[in-house]
Amino acid sequence: MIYLLEDDSSIRELLVYTLNSQGLDAEGFGLPSQFWSAMEHAHPNLILLDIMLPEEDGLAVLKRLRGAARTAEIPVIMLTAKGTEYDKVIGLDSGADDYIAKPFGMMELLARIRALLRRTGEERTQAGDYRCGALLVSPERHLVEVNGESVALTLKEFELLCLLLENRGIVLTRTQILDRIWGYAFDGESRTIDVHIRTLRQKLGAAGSCIETVRGYGYRIGKDDSP
């Protein structure tokens, strides 16, 4: 999920539409108060932040983000009509990860967003961890997060999710999953797998779409995790 804080409604609507059309979930906010309210419920993977805002300017918002432990590492791209080198340095020195001056081309912005998501995803995922879009799974820490929010799974659900991630891009049959997760002695029906997959998708919310159904065969998590 990408959050956009931009008070110009025409720019905000265009950016949100463009991002969504490119497969990047986005939500726009016209006021910092609306943005902070959304942040109380879920954290995004990246923030697009305008500098000139009502209530408090973008640099003040950035300072608050960087000053809180839970939001300090969220990638931020500053959007501003100010394009001088001095303003760019101020934004970057304040903690922004990137800076793009208006007017900008949509393709350039999309390229910068994808590059930053790839870079920060690689840097912040520990060895042995798995990432699929908004989903982060750490087998070593027994941790599952979606958009930075912890998700509680049962042991079998966690083992099933890890199995699919370990075999990313490979379709696993229901029999293979039963053998690996429940063991050869398990005499249940393959319907058990379908029930667990459905529950797992529900708990993962927006990230549940990472788990693909291959009709008549089984399940997999796609190989490509590019944003």
Side-chain angles (χ1 to χ4, degrees), residues 33-207:
S33 56
Q34 298 170 338
F35 169 79
W36 290 119
S37 178
M39 289 290 288
E40 293 178 1
H41 300 286
H43 290 168
N45 300 97
L46 182 144
I47 296 170
L48 298 175
L49 178 60
D50 188 28
I51 286 185
M52 304 301 291
L53 294 167
E55 298 182 346
E56 59 179 327
D57 64 41
L59 292 176
V61 172
L62 180 61
K63 183 177 180 180
R64 288 178 61 181
L65 288 168
R66 293 295 180 248
R70 294 193 65 192
T71 59
E73 295 188 1
I74 298 176
V76 176
I77 297 178
M78 302 297 294
L79 306 177
T80 178
K82 296 182 178 180
T84 67
E85 182 179 2
Y86 174 78
D87 291 320
K88 180 177 180 179
V89 169
I90 291 296
L92 296 175
D93 283 350
S94 298
D97 296 276
D98 201 356
Y99 183 110
I100 185 167
K102 303 173 185 176
F104 48 80
M106 287 297 178
M107 295 308 295
E108 179 186 1
L109 178 61
L110 287 168
R112 291 199 186 193
I113 288 172
R114 290 192 169 105
L116 183 54
L117 285 172
R118 284 195 299 269
R119 186 169 75 248
T120 55
E122 290 169 359
E123 290 173 353
R124 292 169 191 171
T125 301
Q126 298 184 10
D129 289 0
Y130 301 102
R131 185 180 290 276
C132 178
L135 173 66
L136 171 65
V137 178
S138 174
E140 182 177 342
R141 293 176 289 163
H142 202 88
L143 171 71
V144 178
E145 290 183 349
V146 175
N147 285 323
E149 297 295 319
S150 180
V151 177
L153 301 179
T154 66
L155 178 59
K156 291 301 182 186
E157 288 167 352
F158 183 77
E159 290 177 345
L160 174 55
L161 181 58
C162 287
L163 176 65
L164 292 170
L165 287 165
E166 288 168 5
N167 294 274
R168 193 158 190 167
I170 299 173
V171 182
L172 298 178
T173 67
R174 291 171 177 81
T175 299
Q176 288 174 320
I177 295 173
L178 282 170
D179 288 345
R180 294 285 296 276
I181 302 300
W182 279 267
Y184 291 98
F186 182 77
D187 58 0
E189 299 178 354
S190 61
R191 179 64 178 166
T192 299
I193 305 301
D194 299 332
V195 172
H196 276 75
I197 290 289
R198 183 171 66 249
T199 303
L200 187 54
R201 282 173 172 156
Q202 291 172 347
K203 290 186 176 182
L204 294 179

